[in-house]
Amino acid sequence: MALTVVGSLAYDAVETPFGKRDRMLGGAATHFALAASFFDTVHVVGPVGDDFAEEDMQILATRGTNVDDVERVAGGKTFFWAGRYSANLNQRDTLDTQLNVFETFEPKLSDASKAAEVLFLANIVPDLQHEVREQCERATFVAMDSMNLWIDIARESLEKVIARVDCLILNDEELEQLTEAPNLVQAARRVLEMGPTVVVAKQGKYGAALFTADDMFWVPAFPLETVVDPTGAGDTFAGGFVGYVAAHRAEPLTEGMLRRAMAYGTALASFNVEEFGTERVARLTAGEIAPRVGNLQRITHFEDKPVELRG
Amino acid sequence: MALTVVGSLAYDAVETPFGKRDRMLGGAATHFALAASFFDTVHVVGPVGDDFAEEDMQILATRGTNVDDVERVAGGKTFFWAGRYSANLNQRDTLDTQLNVFETFEPKLSDASKAAEVLFLANIVPDLQHEVREQCERATFVAMDSMNLWIDIARESLEKVIARVDCLILNDEELEQLTEAPNLVQAARRVLEMGPTVVVAKQGKYGAALFTADDMFWVPAFPLETVVDPTGAGDTFAGGFVGYVAAHRAEPLTEGMLRRAMAYGTALASFNVEEFGTERVARLTAGEIAPRVGNLQRITHFEDKPVELRG
């Protein structure tokens, strides 16, 4: 079994209250792959320029990730993003976005990438997501991300892709914007009527929520004493979540399995934010993950007891 | 056993995307008492004006709440607040604040109020909170709320009260502001060094977190399809939380008990936001609460299973 991700590979310049990096490996597909590679063989599809360093390709290939479909565009430059975070990391300003090779990107999937049973469409132009989705005929679980920009300028295309995927992973406020619902529960219900059977709402530092036809699940972000750089946390979460599902593709997609996938996504994302960019997850080892999932369970569990109430 | 709350009784004018009320019963002590009264006999201490309606006093007295220490100031007007919420209820603008009788309020506690074993100091001037705290010598569990205003203009007085209470209940961003910590976990640790043994971080629509010396607990807000008016949700949560502790004061203050208190606070707060002001909680019945706590447990629970990870 294999897992294909289509999305951005990038260089990021990031400044947080705790330091800065002028040029570090980033991109949605990168963060996704580094997390998902703990669970399955990941095939990465995305473009880079001449400037993409061999050592960064090595990082992308961590834990056996297949980089054969990383397209090196001759004469092109890698996607570049620069941003600065506020004091409490709650807000970030984009200082620069250079699409570069991403501007003319047309995903070309090898047979190996097309054959994946699980597919993740990271945040790119909805029409490209749709094209890729149609190419992966064998995929039995397709998840996707998107962003407010596409809701604003390409809603029709976006809704077309959403109708063709099993799982939409989006920020809570984007879900509300997409559905024009006044709250997250209503927003999720409306997405479940659009096609997906699973909706995941990312809530940033507050955690994430899972919605299916019959159930809901809420998990907090893993509490940390040290948060250095939130860049890529959402894609790392998605990598852990979708990776977990991919590793258990032989089983039915039960609520219990999806909840565990949420927990592993949460654990992976928590490592990501402890250092800049990919630094922490690139050298993360398998043995470090399960204890954090165990702690997540401990800090969310309570035992109810009957209580005598008045009135 | 009894529970005393000192704080505001108010009239609120509130506009949300779902309707408006020009003048409804509100105030921190009101919302707190309506929730806490499910668990214990509540004594309310706070001032009102000549304009405070007898029917509102009846609502305050719901489930046996003692209103003997509600001080009716002759010639005075009740505290008035007007606010408008944004489309997704995430933000609110204060349109008007009239302190009225609250400007010269000096809490006068009867012997019955002073004798309470559990005390809640709702958000008022820190010096008054301190005065009340010193008057309640028999109190074995004292909790308090506050707000950013007092951190800005009365930090020293505020820190003096915090040092004298067992539990600080504050918004997450106010905790960070108070301690100048870069994140909530560090903020809570610093408060635990200031005196309190329990810190509760309110996170609005995202839920709440509990911190003690040895442990943490995170609970989401109860997910609702209908959210009409968030006014008073924080105080209703505090009423459920502190009320639960008061009802179990014969037991040691274990982490398990505090977690259940968090769950009951969360359940109570969720009823509060379903309708305007006190409307829903005033007619809430005991039998409606436990099922919601049970649901809260179901939507936060996951079973971990060993998983084989790569790398």
Side-chain angles (χ1 to χ4, degrees), chain A residues 8-310:
Chain A
S8 63
L9 307 156
Y11 283 118
D12 291 339
V14 169
E15 196 180 332
T16 84
F18 312 103
K20 59 183 288 198
R21 292 289 185 277
D22 292 329
R23 186 179 170 84
M24 64 185 189
L25 177 62
T30 305
H31 286 287
F32 180 93
L34 278 170
S37 58
F38 280 106
F39 300 94
D40 205 344
T41 302
V42 182
H43 291 251
V44 176
V45 182
V48 297
D50 291 330
D51 58 339
F52 198 74
E54 187 48 39
E55 66 191 59
D56 290 324
M57 197 68 90
Q58 289 309 316
I59 293 174
L60 194 59
T62 302
R63 290 178 282 275
T65 288
N66 184 311
V67 295
D68 291 350
D69 282 2
V70 173
E71 185 185 353
R72 195 181 278 274
V73 181
K77 274 184 69 183
T78 304
F79 178 78
F80 179 78
W81 177 80
R84 185 189 294 133
Y85 288 85
S86 65
N88 57 5
L89 301 173
N90 280 358
Q91 295 193 315
R92 75 178 186 193
D93 292 323
T94 290
L95 304 177
D96 194 5
T97 305
Q98 299 172 18
L99 290 177
N100 297 333
V101 295
F102 225 73
E103 205 155 3
T104 54
F105 173 53
E106 288 183 32
K108 294 169 199 72
L109 277 68
S110 61
D111 288 344
S113 289
K114 277 185 206 168
E117 279 200 54
V118 175
L119 172 65
F120 182 66
L121 304 163
N123 170 35
I124 54 172
V125 191
D127 282 340
L128 290 187
Q129 291 180 312
H130 193 266
E131 225 180 280
V132 172
R133 199 271 162 263
E134 298 306 312
Q135 284 180 51
C136 294
E137 290 175 1
R138 291 186 49 196
T140 59
F141 185 79
V142 182
M144 69 177 282
D145 187 14
S146 189
M147 74 185 291
N148 51 359
L149 174 69
W150 310 123
I151 304 173
D152 289 335
I153 70 169
R155 176 183 283 272
E156 211 176 311
S157 302
L158 179 58
E159 288 177 358
K160 210 173 105 186
V161 201
I162 292 173
R164 291 284 290 129
V165 304
D166 304 284
C167 173
L168 177 63
I169 303 174
L170 210 58
N171 291 336
D172 53 354
E173 289 180 1
E174 289 165 347
L175 284 167
E176 290 171 7
Q177 187 194 345
L178 172 70
T179 58
E180 290 167 359
N183 61 56
L184 186 56
V185 177
Q186 283 193 36
R189 293 229 184 286
R190 292 186 198 177
V191 173
L192 291 172
E193 287 164 10
M194 294 167 73
T197 53
V198 179
V199 177
V200 175
K202 295 181 286 185
Q203 304 179 301
K205 69 172 181 178
Y206 295 107
L210 169 79
F211 300 86
T212 61
D214 308 316
D215 215 349
M216 290 188 229
F217 174 62
W218 298 69
V219 64
F222 188 86
L224 295 169
E225 296 247 11
T226 308
V227 180
V228 165
D229 172 23
T231 311
D235 295 303
T236 305
F237 169 86
F241 177 80
V242 176
Y244 191 96
V245 172
H248 296 81
R249 213 55 209 100
E251 304 170 21
L253 202 70
T254 61
E255 182 72 23
M257 190 247 268
L258 289 170
R259 288 179 177 213
R260 283 187 285 281
M262 292 283 286
Y264 276 84
T266 298
L268 265 305
S270 73
F271 286 109
N272 179 79
V273 304
E274 287 182 327
E275 295 180 22
F276 276 95
T278 61
E279 292 168 16
R280 182 70 183 93
V281 181
R283 67 159 206 281
L284 186 66
T285 56
E288 296 175 279
I289 300 172
R292 199 161 277 195
V293 172
N295 277 333
L296 190 61
Q297 193 179 42
R298 268 188 290 283
I299 64 163
T300 55
H301 175 78
F302 70 94
E303 292 209 29
D304 198 11
K305 279 189 182 177
V307 53
E308 216 169 290
L309 296 173
R310 300 144 49 107

Side-chain angles (χ1 to χ4, degrees), chain B residues 255-272:
Chain B
E255 183 70 23
M257 189 246 268
L258 290 170
R259 287 179 177 213
R260 284 187 286 279
M262 293 282 287
Y264 276 84
T266 298
L268 265 304
S270 73
F271 287 109
N272 179 78

Side-chain angles (χ1 to χ4, degrees), chain B:
Chain B
M1 253 176 287
L3 163 55
T4 294
V5 54
V6 181
S8 62
L9 307 156
Y11 282 117
D12 292 338
V14 168
E15 196 180 331
T16 84
F18 311 103
K20 59 183 288 198
R21 292 290 184 276
D22 291 328
R23 185 178 171 85
M24 64 186 189
L25 176 61
T30 305
H31 286 287
F32 180 94
L34 277 169
S37 58
F38 279 106
F39 301 93
D40 205 344
T41 302
V42 181
H43 291 251
V44 176
V45 182
V48 296
D50 290 331
D51 58 340
F52 199 74
E54 186 47 41
E55 66 190 60
D56 290 323
M57 196 70 91
Q58 288 309 317
I59 294 175
L60 193 60
T62 301
R63 290 179 284 275
T65 288
N66 184 311
V67 296
D68 292 349
D69 282 1
V70 172
E71 184 186 355
R72 197 180 278 273
V73 181
K77 274 186 68 183
T78 303
F79 177 78
F80 179 78
W81 177 81
R84 185 190 294 133
Y85 288 85
S86 65
N88 57 6
L89 302 174
N90 281 357
Q91 295 193 315
R92 74 177 187 193
D93 292 321
T94 290
L95 303 176
D96 194 5
T97 305
Q98 298 172 18
L99 290 177
N100 297 333
V101 294
F102 225 73
E103 205 155 1
T104 53
F105 173 52
E106 286 182 33
K108 294 168 198 72
L109 277 67
S110 61
D111 286 344
S113 289
K114 276 186 206 169
E117 279 201 54
V118 175
L119 172 66
F120 182 65
L121 306 163
N123 170 35
I124 53 171
V125 191
D127 283 338
L128 291 186
Q129 290 181 312
H130 193 265
E131 223 180 280
V132 173
R133 199 274 161 261
E134 297 307 313
Q135 284 181 50
C136 295
E137 289 175 1
R138 290 187 48 195
T140 58
F141 184 79
V142 182
M144 69 178 282
D145 188 12
S146 189
M147 74 185 292
N148 50 359
L149 174 69
W150 309 123
I151 303 174
D152 289 334
I153 70 169
R155 176 183 283 273
E156 210 177 311
S157 302
L158 179 59
E159 289 177 356
K160 209 173 107 187
V161 201
I162 292 173
R164 292 283 291 128
V165 304
D166 303 285
C167 173
L168 177 63
I169 303 175
L170 210 58
N171 291 337
D172 53 354
E173 289 179 2
E174 289 166 346
L175 284 167
E176 290 170 7
Q177 186 194 344
L178 172 69
T179 57
E180 291 166 0
N183 60 56
L184 185 55
V185 177
Q186 283 193 36
R189 294 230 184 287
R190 291 186 199 177
V191 174
L192 291 172
E193 288 163 9
M194 293 167 72
T197 53
V198 179
V199 176
V200 175
K202 295 182 287 185
Q203 305 180 300
K205 69 172 181 178
Y206 294 107
L210 169 78
F211 300 86
T212 61
D214 308 316
D215 215 350
M216 290 189 229
F217 174 63
W218 298 69
V219 64
F222 188 86
L224 295 169
E225 297 247 10
T226 308
V227 181
V228 165
D229 172 22
T231 310
D235 295 303
T236 306
F237 169 86
F241 176 80
V242 176
Y244 190 96
V245 172
H248 296 81
R249 214 53 209 104
E251 303 170 22
L253 202 70
T254 61
E255 183 70 23
M257 189 246 268
L258 290 170
R259 287 179 177 213
R260 284 187 286 279
M262 293 282 287
Y264 276 84
T266 298
L268 265 304
S270 73
F271 287 109
N272 179 78
V273 303
E274 288 183 326
E275 295 180 22
F276 276 94
T278 61
E279 293 168 15
R280 182 70 183 91
V281 182
R283 68 159 205 281
L284 186 65
T285 56
E288 296 175 279
I289 299 172
R292 199 160 276 194
V293 172
N295 277 334
L296 190 62
Q297 191 179 45
R298 268 189 289 283
I299 64 163
T300 55
H301 174 78
F302 70 94
E303 291 208 29
D304 198 11
K305 278 189 183 176
V307 53
E308 215 170 291
L309 296 173
R310 299 144 49 106

